Amino acid sequence: VKVVKSVMVEAYTISPETAIEEAARIMMDKGINHIPVVEEGRLVGIITSWDIAKAVARNRKGAVKSIMTRNVIYTHPDEPVEVAARKMEQNNISALPVVDSRKRVLGIVTSEDLSKLIAR
Ligand code: SAM
């Protein structure tokens, strides 16, 4: 079986104190839609371009901690890709941070990375 570590990519991470505007800039510069939020080396949230759009629409400013999703759905390097795909489908999300047993972020897997598997 194919496992997550064979398709995951490097994740750019930010801190909860990062400004929303800075997160938006990072997404533009790196061409990414999802950024795991890390505090003291551990995963504490995730912010997506969707969250940024919502913050702009509501004219909310400040740190990403005020708009990030705290209840993060994540995966592990040795989890089968089918399980990861199901987590995304069932939760209507398109990326999962990949963490170790201590919740340190090792990478990220996105629905784009999974569709490449099928296209190959
Ligand atoms: N389907 C779109 C997508 O894939 O991003 C938008 C809907 S999704 C419900 C949007 C929300 O999901 C955002 O508030 C985002 O923070 C959250 N989200 C994205 N990935 C997540 C994950 N791995 N765990 C928990 N929430 C996540």
Side-chain angles (χ1 to χ4, degrees):
V1 284
K2 277 258 178 203
V3 292
V4 163
K5 69 178 164 215
S6 69
V7 292
M8 71 185 203
V9 296
E10 201 184 321
Y12 195 90
T13 63
I14 55 177
S15 109
E17 308 299 333
T18 305
I20 295 170
E21 272 191 10
E22 176 66 12
R25 205 170 301 127
I26 291 165
M27 285 181 191
M28 292 302 298
D29 289 351
K30 310 265 175 199
I32 55 179
N33 285 306
H34 312 83
I35 310 180
V37 182
V38 168
E39 189 169 39
E40 289 169 5
R42 309 275 154 92
L43 179 68
V44 294
I46 188 165
I47 182 161
T48 68
S49 43
W50 192 87
D51 298 311
I52 303 264
K54 193 163 117 187
V56 169
R58 295 183 177 172
N59 202 22
R60 290 187 66 172
K61 298 197 164 74
V64 298
K65 66 181 175 195
S66 66
I67 65 162
M68 69 185 188
T69 300
R70 290 170 188 272
N71 188 14
V72 185
I73 299 152
Y74 50 80
T75 182
H76 298 289
D78 294 316
E79 192 160 75
V81 291
E82 285 81 3
V83 176
R86 211 169 302 131
K87 282 182 182 174
M88 291 190 208
E89 174 61 26
Q90 288 175 348
N91 294 285
N92 185 32
I93 51 179
S94 51
L96 303 172
V98 184
V99 300
D100 67 11
S101 58
R102 295 163 73 184
K103 278 209 169 179
R104 286 177 303 212
V105 177
L106 306 172
I108 191 163
V109 59
T110 68
S111 52
E112 255 177 86
D113 302 321
L114 292 181
S115 54
K116 278 183 202 144
L117 264 188
I118 297 165
R120 234 180 251 150

